[in-house]
Amino acid sequence: MTRKCLFSLLAGLLVFAGPARSQGRPETVAASHQDVSPALRDIPAVPPGVGLQREIPLRRPYPPEASTPSADPIKQTLTGPLATTTAGLNIQGVGVGLGNFADCCAPPDTNGAVGATQYVQWVNLSFAVFDKTTGGLLMGPVAGNTLWSGFGGPCETSNSGDPIAQYDKAAGRWVLAQPVFTSPYQYCIAVSTTSDATGTYNRYQFPMANFPDYPKLGIWSDAYYASFNMFNGNSFAGAQACAFNRTAMLAGAAANMVCFQNSTSVASLLPADLDGATAPPAGSPNFFMNYGTNSLNLFRFHVDFATPANSTFTGPVNIPVASFSAACSGGACIPQPGTSQKLDSLADRLMYRLAYRNFTTYDALVVNHSVFVSGNRRSQVDGIRWYEIRNPNGTPSLHQQGTYSPDTNSRWMGSIAMDKVGNIVVGYSVSSGSLYPSIRFTGRAPSDPLGTLQGENTLINGAGSQLANLSRWGDYSSLSIDPVDDCTLWYTTEYLMNNGTFNWSTRIGSFKFSGCI
């Protein structure tokens, strides 16, 4: 697509804001239990589970699409020069190849974050702490519920996965969380007392009314914000958006959460996650987003912990985008070499994170998801659709969008971020009938034509396909920004060293783009 055509398309995409609509009433729930842990490095390690191999059930809010997919109208047809980056670490993460680790479950839910001196990676049921300079393993892999040893209750006895590892850059603290998927349902959050991930934690247990599936966590100035797909039995009950009292949790004080339960028409929300040293403008709400038919839906969450009844969750503001069809109709169709087994696109939702940055003259959100590009249901090419939204607390504008699919390989399971000078970076998986699932990334400089990404770099080439009766891949990956230089990006996701089932590996790689110093 030419630059002129792209500008014309962008100019035609107006935002229909309308009056703000409140999504129900706030519910305030106090933490049912809290304490301060011993130093994590001193807690006897709970070894990763190596028992019965199992696939973690995927709960879809809605069934896969039935409509015939349409070719993507903004596919990037020309690829610029190879994205110029300075490489950092490129090391094995938790999975096959890291010590004697043996996978017990799929998918890995690969997730990680970078702090002042360490990198914490958490896969489905296990986490590890790495030295971010040398890549040396400082702790782990250990079972996720090691973090709650001695805490008592379901946070200690359960290890359900679906974890998130975050770093609160402004406070210099780790925020580690995972749900409890057996009744009584809980959300377990631990906030470190220092920047050392192996030190002590303020630990909290929050009761959840229903099954809190697919939680995603964002750091903001006034709270920690989370989203859940809530299920009552096997029935989808709607997305829930919650704010946790950050100030209290940093201090180890009694804390509560304020939540809004949405109707079943709202699913798979992502909370905004703050990058960079500049806080959002004073009084800014947190932003939540999902996608609709050829559009993005933006919600605004203002929390008032002093008077919770004054809290509001409003929206959606509908932001039209170029038309798209979900990759694989939201299901599994990603091809691999040497097998008829297809991989799950998880294209029925936006991919973590919804990254926010305040440049002082403007603020922006970036996000991505997987879309159908060309072909048919039996043989299709899928790519990464990405967006930059500016002025999210005013009248949001779609500053740019693009679909990255430079060849006949499929790309999916992306994660996106923006560094301090405005370079946008996307990491993702790539596969085809002749290419084993591999890990690549690309990006763009602010001076590049809008809606375009440069040539891609390879973090590691896969050497195996996932074999019969296991389609799950992901369910998410993680691209995070280094809080020290605000330039170096850290990406982690899964790949395979050999053909097989329940034998995934993960990779952790760091790099920064030229011009960011």
Side-chain angles (χ1 to χ4, degrees):
M1 176 171 288
T2 67
R3 185 173 182 176
K4 180 178 179 181
C5 290
L6 182 60
F7 284 160
S8 297
L9 179 61
L10 286 168
L13 294 174
L14 302 178
V15 175
F16 298 96
R21 300 191 302 277
S22 179
Q23 302 294 316
R25 295 181 178 179
E27 179 184 7
T28 304
V29 179
S32 58
H33 184 42
Q34 70 179 86
D35 76 355
V36 180
S37 76
L40 185 56
R41 57 183 169 270
D42 297 331
I43 295 176
V46 178
V50 293
L52 179 67
Q53 294 176 334
R54 64 190 180 96
E55 183 176 8
I56 308 298
L58 175 61
R59 292 172 176 251
R60 293 189 187 277
Y62 311 124
E65 297 176 349
S67 59
T68 301
S70 300
D72 192 280
I74 59 168
K75 172 189 173 182
Q76 183 178 334
T77 56
L78 297 177
T79 301
L82 188 70
T84 304
T85 61
T86 301
L89 291 180
N90 190 341
I91 60 174
Q92 279 302 116
V94 177
V96 171
L98 185 68
N100 295 320
F101 187 88
D103 300 337
C104 74
C105 312
D109 295 342
T110 319
N111 184 253
V114 57
T117 62
Q118 299 161 330
Y119 185 88
V120 174
Q121 187 199 36
W122 201 343
V123 301
N124 212 321
L125 301 184
S126 306
F127 69 86
V129 181
F130 299 84
D131 183 299
K132 81 172 192 183
T133 301
T134 67
L137 189 61
L138 300 176
M139 179 180 176
V142 297
N145 58 335
T146 299
L147 184 57
W148 278 274
S149 291
F151 185 67
C155 288
E156 178 178 3
T157 59
S158 176
N159 191 27
S160 298
D162 251 356
I164 292 292
Q166 276 277 21
Y167 189 73
D168 184 332
K169 303 173 186 67
R173 305 285 191 88
W174 295 94
V175 184
L176 308 180
Q178 72 171 1
V180 171
F181 283 161
T182 54
S183 183
Y185 306 119
Q186 312 287 333
Y187 197 49
C188 311
I189 306 180
V191 180
S192 67
T193 62
T194 71
S195 62
D196 180 4
T198 70
T200 58
Y201 283 79
N202 299 323
R203 302 187 292 192
Y204 294 86
Q205 174 181 289
F206 291 93
M208 305 299 288
N210 285 305
F211 189 106
D213 196 37
Y214 205 71
K216 296 293 170 282
L217 184 69
I219 308 296
W220 207 246
S221 301
D222 62 351
Y224 300 130
Y225 288 86
S227 61
F228 307 86
N229 279 337
M230 303 297 280
F231 284 83
N232 185 355
N234 291 322
S235 298
F236 180 55
Q240 188 174 72
C242 294
F244 299 86
N245 193 325
R246 172 178 178 262
T247 299
M249 296 170 77
L250 287 170
N256 60 2
M257 66 177 182
V258 176
C259 297
F260 286 86
Q261 178 61 52
N262 291 268
S263 73
T264 56
S265 65
V266 180
S268 303
L269 293 169
L270 287 182
D273 185 39
L274 174 63
D275 283 340
T278 304
S284 173
N286 186 263
F287 307 104
F288 282 65
M289 188 175 284
N290 67 3
Y291 77 66
T293 302
N294 302 327
S295 64
L296 300 173
N297 296 313
L298 179 70
F299 299 82
R300 298 175 176 127
F301 193 156
H302 167 73
V303 68
D304 186 334
F305 289 110
T307 310
N310 290 339
S311 301
T312 57
F313 187 78
T314 59
V317 177
N318 186 259
I319 306 171
V321 300
S323 62
F324 63 84
S325 298
C328 310
S329 299
C333 77
I334 306 295
Q336 310 171 89
T339 178
S340 60
Q341 178 64 53
K342 308 298 184 184
L343 300 177
D344 201 320
S345 67
L346 217 69
D348 62 342
R349 62 198 71 189
L350 295 175
M351 288 283 96
Y352 188 69
R353 295 176 302 131
L354 175 61
Y356 171 92
R357 185 175 285 274
N358 183 4
F359 288 96
T360 67
T361 56
Y362 68 92
D363 55 351
L365 295 162
V366 289
V367 73
N368 85 101
H369 60 114
S370 305
V371 298
F372 171 86
V373 174
S374 61
N376 54 53
R377 286 192 179 276
R378 291 189 176 183
S379 177
Q380 64 179 259
V381 176
D382 301 299
I384 301 293
R385 172 68 73 87
W386 60 277
Y387 311 95
E388 180 185 356
I389 306 296
R390 294 189 176 181
N391 193 30
N393 198 32
T395 301
S397 64
L398 178 63
H399 181 67
Q400 59 178 324
Q401 61 179 329
T403 296
Y404 193 71
S405 180
D407 53 34
T408 57
N409 298 320
S410 283
R411 291 162 177 82
W412 83 111
M413 206 58 64
S415 188
I416 190 169
M418 185 184 296
D419 68 21
K420 69 181 182 183
V421 300
N423 296 308
I424 293 176
V425 182
V426 190
Y428 46 84
S429 294
V430 55
S431 184
S432 71
S434 58
L435 175 69
Y436 291 118
S438 300
I439 304 174
R440 296 182 182 176
F441 65 91
T442 185
R444 68 179 307 279
S447 59
D448 291 340
L450 290 176
T452 64
L453 298 174
Q454 300 174 13
E456 62 189 0
N457 288 266
T458 297
L459 193 61
I460 193 167
N461 286 314
S465 294
Q466 190 162 279
L467 300 182
N469 302 318
L470 183 59
S471 64
R472 300 291 293 289
W473 189 269
D475 282 343
Y476 41 101
S477 64
S478 182
L479 183 68
S480 57
I481 188 81
D482 196 305
V484 175
D485 64 5
D486 208 15
C487 288
T488 303
L489 294 128
W490 294 72
Y491 185 56
T492 185
T493 193
E494 72 166 296
Y495 74 105
L496 296 174
M497 291 181 167
N498 297 285
N499 291 337
T501 307
F502 298 102
N503 65 320
W504 45 260
S505 301
T506 69
R507 202 75 180 174
I508 302 167
S510 65
F511 48 87
K512 68 177 180 179
F513 273 60
S514 299
C516 191
I517 55 175

